[in-house]
Amino acid sequence: MENTLKTSEKIGLLNGVGSAREALLERLSIRTVGDMLMHVPARFLDRRTIIPIAELRLGTDAVVSGRITGLSRRPRGRGPSFSAVLSDHSGSITLTFFRPGFPGSKLQQGMDVIACGRIDSYKGYTIVHPELYFNEEAAGAVKAPGMLPVYRLTAGLTQGVMRKLAASALDAVKNSMADILPDELIISGGFKCRWDVFNAAHRPDSPEESKLARDLLALEELYLYRSVLAAIRMKGSQHPGITLSSFSLSEFQASLLWPLTAAQKRVCLEISADMAGGVPMRRLVQGDVGSGKTVVAAFACITSALNGKTAAVLAPTEVLATQHFRSMGEFCSRFGIKVHLLTGGTPGTERKKIAERLTENTGCVLVGTHAILEDWIPLNSVALVVIDEQHRFGVAQREKLLASRNPRPHALVMSATPIPRTLAMTFYGDLELSVIDSMPPGRGITETRIVDHSEKPTVFKFMLERLEAGERIFLVYPLKEASEKSDLRDAATAFETVKSGPMAKFGTALLHGSMSPAEKVAVTEQFSSGQISVLVSTTVIEVGIDVPEATVMVISNAERFGLSQLHQLRGRVGRGGKNSWCFLVPEDGASRESFHRLELLVSTSNGFIIAEKDLAIRGPGQVLGTAQHGIPCFKVANLSIDAHLVRAVSEMQPMTIQVVHGLLKSQLWRYNEMKLPSV
Ligand code: ADP
Ligand code: MG
């Protein structure tokens, strides 16, 4: 009889888990009983139907039953060490064993067995390392119809062990499970209680039941996450804030060369009210590329500086930090406010100087990369932290940055990735949402065209014309694999061609991800100053580069990019009021469907519409960016397929802070990897 355990208790307390096994489980991130429960099977073998051998199909999971009619052992040499022939009334199939020993060694001529596994092809159909049930046991396996779970494993653990552990974890928590999801949801899925759901996820009666259970667990995981973020937001608002008296919007307007858009004004006023309200601001400003977020950030920084407090602007890269430094300087200098730049590349002596200045005059703006967060920077009087392009910066990092300071600074997060509302509610729920939903007037039009093979010479001629007219061009190549080396290959080849072709005389350079930050800054500067006019690049230009003279972008193998990403990229041209062009060049032989998909970009320039479509096609994971951008690694939920669950969660009322707090104590196992801050 198993002891009663809580989900948060160490996996070592479970029967059958000694220190060796504990170490193996650790490799699967299973540290607690709850982790074991959340380690749901990757798939199931449907044992309810034994398939006649003649009807097996390649690549499917199958259960076959028959008699061993042939055996061949090969003691040494390459290839399988052992194989057996299993026959039923309809035909026969081989069972292949690359490893000697059990269970293959137990097979004998004439034995009745049941074999389960994926149908593979190796000199005819075969099952490699099948799960075997022998004689009487085989009879039992058939008699107990059901679904056989198949778990993700690590070397040293077997399916059998995992099944036993899952079963004993289920038994151990049976009487100690707290509910998370509202009852109606559990019941509408056909379950009596939460334990039932876990049970069905591991030991379902049918594929339908396992899917329902798995979806509920994924939903629960997303719901808990959403509730935690909502609690963080609530809790944040209980801290005293730094009250900043408002800076007059009309005075700010008077210092600008153009009128603020209605959307910019609205967001400035929201920010102003937040910062004057006595509660630390936590606001996400979303706006399409070019919608004019910088000026809004400047307004917030000026407000802080005029109150004698420092504003820190945090950019993800050195290139962006440098650019912000420049534009902030322009906006701030009119009010006599000093702006400092500090990045990883800033020399020590310069850093010291900046530190001194920050102490002497706290009413200033400090722009930089993560370097500005180092301890020695005198940021005691920071009243505002602006985080640019937050999707590179997770909740936990954000929270650490803010909560470690007393009083808590105001936080303004800027994102150029339009995120559909349903996603924002779930994944940025710790922030209030502001949207800059219109573009400054008088901007040129960016025409987007899909270019097929035959039109390439025309595009090339057109590019030369634009260059002759003094304009600049981006040539973009996709990331082939998630590796900088291969990512470089296409761009580098193209660069060689450009360098020796008719565009060479306009000056050209290559920009890619494995360059040092200093090199990237240097190349970007050459392009923005006009020293070079053709920038051949991988996707590193995606965020933030602002070069008004750039009017043409050609994106090769466009079908490999997500729609949102393409939209982001094309936002880099047409920033100077001139008309501009974005040419999407799919690979020869790209599917008709991918052409079709690209047409959305031709028909709209609204980032939110594009993001919605991307969400529908590629799922939330792609729209949000990956785990490195701060979205946690969920154990059950899968952001590339669970869009409907994310939508469902956004419509649910988050749990109250008290409930979340109580749950987190016992449920922290959910967030082992992301170390969510205590609420
Ligand atoms: P993003 O939202 O992509 O950060 P920026 O803040 O860089 O956009 O603004 C894009 C360009 O538009 C900049 O050159 C900026 O000076 C200009 N801009 C911003 N707001 C306005 C406005 N209200 N009227 C005219 N131009 C504007
Ligand atoms: Mg920007």
Side-chain angles (χ1 to χ4, degrees):
M1 198 65 225
E2 190 75 58
N3 287 335
T4 290
L5 292 173
K6 287 205 202 90
T7 49
S8 57
E9 275 169 307
K10 290 244 177 319
I11 190 76
L13 295 176
L14 205 63
N15 282 351
V17 184
S19 58
R21 204 161 264 175
E22 198 170 352
L24 292 175
L25 290 168
E26 166 72 32
R27 285 201 226 144
L28 295 168
S29 302
I30 299 173
R31 295 168 199 123
T32 63
V33 177
D35 289 339
M36 183 65 228
L37 294 176
M38 292 296 276
H39 192 79
V40 297
R43 55 195 170 89
F44 290 89
L45 291 174
D46 190 347
R47 237 179 357 185
R48 299 169 311 165
T49 30
I50 304 255
I51 301 178
I53 290 173
E55 288 169 29
L56 293 174
R57 278 181 301 126
L58 192 63
T60 56
D61 288 320
V63 181
V64 291
S65 168
R67 183 160 293 176
I68 299 298
T69 56
L71 287 172
S72 88
R73 284 171 215 276
R74 200 179 324 144
R76 285 194 182 277
R78 289 166 152 274
S81 72
F82 177 66
S83 68
V85 180
L86 177 69
S87 308
D88 69 2
H89 60 90
S90 71
S92 46
I93 182 170
T94 20
L95 307 177
T96 307
F97 299 86
F98 288 88
R99 289 188 296 268
F102 186 82
S105 59
K106 200 178 161 187
L107 290 174
Q108 282 165 21
Q109 188 78 23
M111 210 176 215
D112 285 329
V113 297
I114 287 183
C116 317
R118 185 151 286 186
I119 306 305
D120 222 325
S121 171
Y122 183 88
K123 302 176 183 164
Y125 278 5
T126 185
I127 304 177
V128 180
H129 293 159
E131 297 227 12
L132 293 177
Y133 294 86
F134 301 94
N135 295 328
E136 350 54 270
E137 198 192 357
V142 191
K143 241 189 270 151
M147 307 278 292
L148 198 61
V150 179
Y151 290 92
R152 200 159 51 78
L153 294 179
T154 186
L157 286 171
T158 62
Q159 294 296 348
V161 168
M162 291 301 275
R163 281 175 206 140
K164 277 199 198 106
L165 293 182
S168 53
L170 282 165
D171 291 344
V173 301
K174 188 156 189 179
N175 301 314
S176 68
M177 279 219 136
D179 285 338
I180 293 188
L181 285 176
D183 284 350
E184 313 88 81
L185 277 173
I186 305 275
I187 288 162
S188 71
F191 302 101
K192 283 200 291 292
C193 60
R194 179 154 172 253
W195 185 86
D196 247 11
V197 181
F198 275 103
N199 189 43
H202 289 273
R203 304 185 289 207
D205 288 333
S206 67
E208 296 72 30
E209 196 187 48
S210 85
K211 168 97 173 65
L212 277 170
R214 180 261 165 220
D215 279 2
L216 277 173
L217 293 182
L219 184 73
E220 184 187 282
E221 199 174 20
L222 294 167
Y223 180 56
L224 189 57
Y225 184 64
R226 170 165 190 217
S227 300
V228 166
L229 294 198
I232 288 175
R233 184 170 80 190
M234 284 291 295
K235 190 79 182 183
S237 68
Q238 290 164 10
H239 287 266
I242 303 161
T243 305
L244 300 177
S245 45
S246 295
F247 166 46
S248 140
L249 190 56
S250 54
E251 199 180 323
F252 182 52
Q253 173 66 81
S255 77
L256 300 172
L257 303 171
W258 22 255
L260 290 165
T261 63
Q264 284 170 326
K265 278 191 207 158
R266 189 186 65 237
V267 177
C268 283
L269 290 174
E270 284 168 350
I271 290 170
S272 204
D274 281 355
M275 296 201 298
V279 164
M281 166 167 77
R282 315 175 62 95
R283 189 167 285 280
L284 171 67
V285 174
Q286 279 190 72
D288 228 325
V289 192
S291 62
K293 293 181 291 296
T294 315
V295 69
V296 171
F299 174 77
C301 290
I302 294 169
T303 306
S304 160
L306 291 179
N307 277 270
K309 306 279 188 187
T310 308
V313 180
L314 192 58
T317 64
E318 214 139 319
V319 170
L320 274 179
T322 310
Q323 210 156 77
H324 278 314
F325 169 65
R326 209 170 292 135
S327 43
M328 282 292 167
E330 253 168 62
F331 293 120
C332 292
S333 62
R334 294 163 202 158
F335 298 91
I337 294 165
K338 278 264 173 300
V339 182
H340 308 285
L341 175 67
L342 200 163
T343 67
T346 310
T349 47
E350 178 69 19
R351 289 182 185 214
K352 241 183 242 150
K353 254 189 238 155
I354 292 175
E356 275 163 29
R357 297 215 187 97
L358 282 170
T359 325
E360 280 159 24
N361 174 14
T362 53
C364 66
V365 181
L366 175 64
V367 181
T369 53
H370 277 64
I372 65 174
L373 299 179
E374 282 169 27
D375 290 341
W376 59 272
I377 306 283
L379 282 182
N380 311 329
S381 54
V382 161
L384 169 69
V385 178
V386 178
I387 304 170
D388 190 13
E389 299 301 347
Q390 48 67 46
H391 56 282
R392 309 233 165 162
F393 213 69
V395 196
Q397 272 175 298
R398 185 151 75 218
E399 198 47 28
K400 188 168 156 234
L401 173 64
L402 301 172
S404 62
R405 291 164 205 282
N406 191 13
R408 273 187 185 226
H410 299 291
L412 185 62
V413 180
M414 318 287 280
S415 172
T417 318
I419 302 163
R421 201 172 168 81
T422 52
L423 290 193
M425 301 260 290
T426 305
F427 297 100
Y428 299 97
D430 62 322
L431 304 168
E432 307 280 340
L433 206 58
S434 286
V435 179
I436 304 187
D437 47 9
S438 60
M439 288 291 191
R443 317 197 85 225
I445 294 163
T446 298
E447 192 177 319
T448 300
R449 279 195 213 161
I450 302 172
V451 178
D452 72 27
H453 191 69
S454 66
E455 294 164 318
K456 283 183 190 170
T458 323
V459 171
F460 192 77
K461 213 170 119 239
F462 181 76
M463 288 196 280
L464 287 174
E465 282 167 25
R466 298 330 308 162
L467 288 167
E468 291 290 354
E471 297 170 14
R472 289 171 217 163
I473 292 180
F474 288 106
L475 301 176
V476 186
Y477 294 83
L479 204 72
K480 273 203 155 164
E481 292 152 38
S483 122
E484 281 297 346
K485 273 204 192 97
S486 48
D487 138 40
L488 192 54
R489 203 168 50 215
D490 278 4
T493 314
F495 178 59
E496 290 308 317
T497 317
V498 170
K499 242 181 16 185
S500 55
M503 288 200 277
K505 67 172 186 216
F506 299 99
T508 173
L510 177 64
L511 183 68
H512 60 84
S514 39
M515 285 160 68
S516 74
E519 287 171 321
K520 284 185 205 162
V521 173
V523 168
T524 310
E525 299 257 300
Q526 285 176 355
F527 188 62
S528 48
S529 69
Q531 240 174 301
I532 59 160
S533 298
V534 182
L535 188 64
V536 180
S537 162
T538 61
T539 51
V540 290
I541 54 156
E542 197 175 339
V543 273
I545 287 186
D546 190 9
V547 179
E549 294 82 4
T551 57
V552 180
M553 175 174 286
V554 180
I555 305 176
S556 292
N557 293 348
E559 79 285 354
R560 289 201 213 149
F561 293 86
L563 294 177
S564 302
Q565 200 186 6
L566 288 169
H567 178 64
Q568 291 269 305
L569 282 166
R570 84 175 155 181
R572 302 291 134 225
V573 294
R575 294 171 75 90
K578 287 202 195 107
N579 286 345
S580 60
W581 294 266
C582 174
F583 296 106
L584 304 174
V585 190
E587 199 165 34
D588 296 338
S591 69
R592 181 186 298 235
E593 190 193 325
S594 57
F595 271 81
H596 206 67
R597 199 165 59 90
L598 294 176
E599 273 160 18
L600 182 74
L601 289 165
V602 177
S603 67
T604 181
S605 60
N606 182 322
F608 285 92
I609 293 176
I610 292 165
E612 286 286 0
K613 185 77 182 181
D614 225 12
L615 177 62
I617 300 175
R618 304 200 312 159
Q622 293 294 329
V623 177
L624 289 165
T626 51
Q628 83 203 38
H629 296 153
I631 307 294
C633 211
F634 294 108
K635 288 183 188 291
V636 179
N638 174 351
L639 295 186
S640 53
I641 56 174
D642 288 333
H644 62 299
L645 299 180
V646 171
R647 201 169 311 119
V649 162
S650 74
E651 283 160 14
M652 290 166 69
Q653 187 65 32
M655 288 177 273
T656 65
I657 188 165
Q658 290 79 6
V659 175
V660 170
H661 195 78
L663 271 177
L664 274 191
K665 283 191 196 137
S666 61
Q667 305 287 335
L668 258 179
W669 46 274
R670 291 304 176 85
Y671 295 105
N672 267 344
E673 266 99 355
M674 69 175 282
K675 296 200 178 59
L676 257 198
S678 58
V679 286

